[in-house]
């Protein structure tokens, strides 16, 4: 990613969110899981920490699009969960711009958290594991990951 | 004008280390993935392989690598800490940052050539304590706890030949650094025992309508309204009911920021300025390192023209706990 390119903080209008609720949720989940699995395949994620994610349920909610994705990690793969039957172990909620800033390593999750732009609920230790795991990844070419195009 | 102090930046991961080096840190400090360092959080820190790569990267650009082994060796497991010291020497770090007097003694005797720094966790606030560590363990630099005023820091520097390092930016740990047991009070674990204040497994963020509650092992620490900035879940920054009033009785969620007094810090002969935050992401390391580098460089040719640029302050305020900053003890009238 071009170092001079910065993602501004923005919020999509509320009607986008209401639209998002009416759309099926699976494209988000699939895109997210595809991105994570791509990172897995490139051996970017450390095995020691991955083990700690086994069978945990994660939910990522994009406030201003109304999009939501749940997924889990099982037997060495991230898998989408289309109809979660329980509360997630770890849940993130933020506007799209915050996620993009995080992915581009433009903002630090603690910063977004302090500023109340990123909400993390559930198992705090799991949250820390995920955060630190993603921080430690040396993304070879960030824009090429399927994640970054969504 | 004295020499510019070294800028010492935190690295909790390899990308953070590279971010620090690329953005102008003179040295990075890091720790092993275990309880020999005071930022023992899941997924954070280095193993032998990533450390070797980190050292290579920093060296290639002429920067130093300092390794923190800054917790206290626990009874029955002293060998774990000694092994960490041996490993650090083997890997060829530029200096080891130690807090435990027993470990300082071990390092001094076993590896007399190794440069040793006294950690902030060693809690040496007087030149007598620092000179003792120099005489007994050959300590070359001491990191001062964030409890001294600027005048007190100057007094220490005038009375020792040990290099003095102070904190320049980051989350505040206000209470008698290296001695605080507040976290143990709520959950039985604190920095000097397990290497973490408020270990994550005891922390719960609870979203309520209109507010978020933070609990440490069930103890309510704070409740933030939806528009209120948040901080770390440490007891020292909780809101407590004191004589019928509920407020931040000890410290508000805030970060230390010395930019406004940078020229004074340089003038009194501080040798190095440290940035807190090994638990933070590469993005934070980039932002803070870049900002402090710019501020320090602007002082290279005389401090008379020093202006704290609003852009610097804005950048640092953004990444601060509670989104606000303080000069901490440096300018407190009382001691
Ligand atoms: S409770 Fe506060 S002062 Fe005590 S160790 Fe934790 S952060 Fe530091």
């Amino acid at each position: 990613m071009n170092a001079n390119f910065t993602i501004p903080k923005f919020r999509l209008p509320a009607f986008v969110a209401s639209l998002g609720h009416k759309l099926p949720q699976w494209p988000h989940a699939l895109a997210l899981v595809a991105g994570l699995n791509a990172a897995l395949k490139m051996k970017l994620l450390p095995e020691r920490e991955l083990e700690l994610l086994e069978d945990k349920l994660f939910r990522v909610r994009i406030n201003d699009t109304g999009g939501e994705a749940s997924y889990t990690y099982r037997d060495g793969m991230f898998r989408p969960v289309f109809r979660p039957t329980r509360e997630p172990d770890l849940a993130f909620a933020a506007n799209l711009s915050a996620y993009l800033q995080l992915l581009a390593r433009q903002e630090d999750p603690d910063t977004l958290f302090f500023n109340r732009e990123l909400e993390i609920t559930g198992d705090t230790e799991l949250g820390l594991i995920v955060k630190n795991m993603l921080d430690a990844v040396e993304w070879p070419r960030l824009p090429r990951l399927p994640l970054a195009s969504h | 004008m004295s020499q510019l102090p070294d800028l010492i930046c935190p690295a909790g991961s390899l990308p953070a280390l590279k971010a620090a080096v690329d953005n102008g840190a003179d040295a990075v400090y890091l720790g092993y993935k275990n309880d020999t360092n005071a930022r023992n959080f899941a997924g954070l820190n280095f193993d032998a392989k990533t450390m070797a790569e980190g050292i290579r990267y920093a060296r290639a650009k002429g920067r130093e690598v300092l390794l923190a082994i800054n917790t206290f060796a626990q009874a029955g497991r002293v060998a774990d800490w000694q092994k960490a010291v041996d490993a650090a020497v083997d890997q060829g770090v530029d200096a080891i940052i130690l807090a435990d007097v027993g470990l300082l003694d071990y390092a001094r005797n076993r590896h007399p050539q190794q440069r040793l720094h006294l950690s902030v966790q060693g809690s040496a606030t007087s030149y007598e304590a620092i000179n003792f560590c120099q005489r007994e363990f050959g300590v070359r630099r001491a990191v001062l706890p964030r409890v001294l005023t600027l005048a007190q820091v100057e007094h220490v520097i005038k009375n020792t030949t040990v290099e003095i390092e102070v904190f320049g930016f980051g989350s505040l740990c206000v209470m008698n650094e290296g001695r605080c047991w507040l976290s143990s009070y709520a959950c039985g674990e604190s920095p000097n025992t397990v290497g973490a204040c408020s270990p994550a497994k005891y922390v719960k963020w609870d979203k309520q309508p209109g507010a978020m509650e933070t609990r440490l092992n069930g103890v309510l620490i704070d409740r933030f309204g939806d528009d209120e900035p948040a901080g770390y879940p440490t007891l020292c920054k909780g809101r407590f009911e004191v004589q019928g009033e509920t407020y931040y009785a000890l410290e508000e969620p805030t970060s230390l920021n010395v930019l406004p007094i940078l020229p004074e810090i340089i003038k009194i002969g501080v040798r190095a300025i440290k940035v807190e935050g090994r638990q933070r992401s590469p993005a934070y390391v980039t932002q803070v390192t870049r900002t402090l580098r710019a501020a320090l460089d602007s002082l290279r040719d005389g401090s008379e023209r020093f202006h704290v640029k609003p852009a610097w302050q804005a950048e640092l305020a953004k990444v601060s706990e509670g989104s606000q900053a303080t000069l901490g003890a440096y300018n407190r009238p009382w001691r």
Side-chain angles (χ1 to χ4, degrees), chain A residues 49 105-111 113-116 119-122 124-125 128-129 131-132 135-138, chain B residues 14-15 18 33 42-44 201 203 207 224-225 228-230 232 279-281 283-284 287 318 320-321 323:
Chain A
E49 276 88 26
R105 291 236 163 108
Q106 192 180 304
E107 291 299 349
D108 161 286
D110 293 20
T111 298
F113 181 82
F114 293 150
N115 298 335
R116 306 300 299 279
E119 198 182 285
I120 307 171
T121 44
T124 314
E125 183 157 49
L128 215 53
I129 293 169
K131 179 193 102 131
N132 290 335
D135 277 352
V137 171
E138 295 215 79
Chain B
L14 205 48
K18 293 182 178 175
K33 269 183 189 291
L44 204 64
K201 61 173 181 267
V203 175
K207 181 78 183 125
F224 303 102
E228 256 183 310
Y232 284 123
Q279 75 283 13
R280 304 285 296 257
S281 295
Y284 163 93
Q287 292 162 337
K318 188 181 68 183
S320 292
E321 244 190 291
S323 312

Side-chain angles (χ1 to χ4, degrees), chain B residues 172-178 180-183 190-191 197-198 234-237:
Chain B
L172 270 178
C173 176
V174 287
M175 309 290 293
N176 294 328
E177 261 167 299
C180 179
W181 291 78
L182 269 175
S183 177
S190 54
C197 178
S198 301
T234 57
L235 277 173
C236 62
K237 290 165 197 152

Side-chain angles (χ1 to χ4, degrees), chain A residues 5-17:
Chain A
F5 175 76
T6 52
I7 298 162
K9 184 173 148 182
F10 62 82
R11 192 178 198 299
L12 296 175
F15 77 87
V16 180

Side-chain angles (χ1 to χ4, degrees), chain B residues 257-334:
Chain B
N257 172 9
V258 298
L259 272 194
I261 55 166
L262 209 49
E264 286 88 333
I265 285 188
I266 296 173
K267 196 150 71 203
I268 63 174
V270 165
R271 186 64 188 76
I273 292 181
K274 174 170 232 153
V275 173
E276 184 271 353
R278 276 190 292 142
Q279 75 283 13
R280 304 285 296 257
S281 295
Y284 163 93
V285 176
T286 299
Q287 292 162 337
V288 178
T289 306
R290 194 171 52 199
T291 306
L292 289 182
R293 183 77 268 158
L296 281 169
D297 283 350
S298 81
L299 279 158
R300 230 178 249 291
D301 16 68
S303 62
E304 290 77 19
R305 283 173 290 125
F306 183 68
H307 300 289
V308 179
K309 292 211 177 112
W312 297 341
Q313 289 296 60
E315 183 92 335
L316 294 182
K318 188 181 68 183
V319 302
S320 292
E321 244 190 291
S323 312
Q324 55 178 345
T326 163
L327 281 170
Y330 291 123
N331 72 339
R332 256 181 214 148
W334 47 268

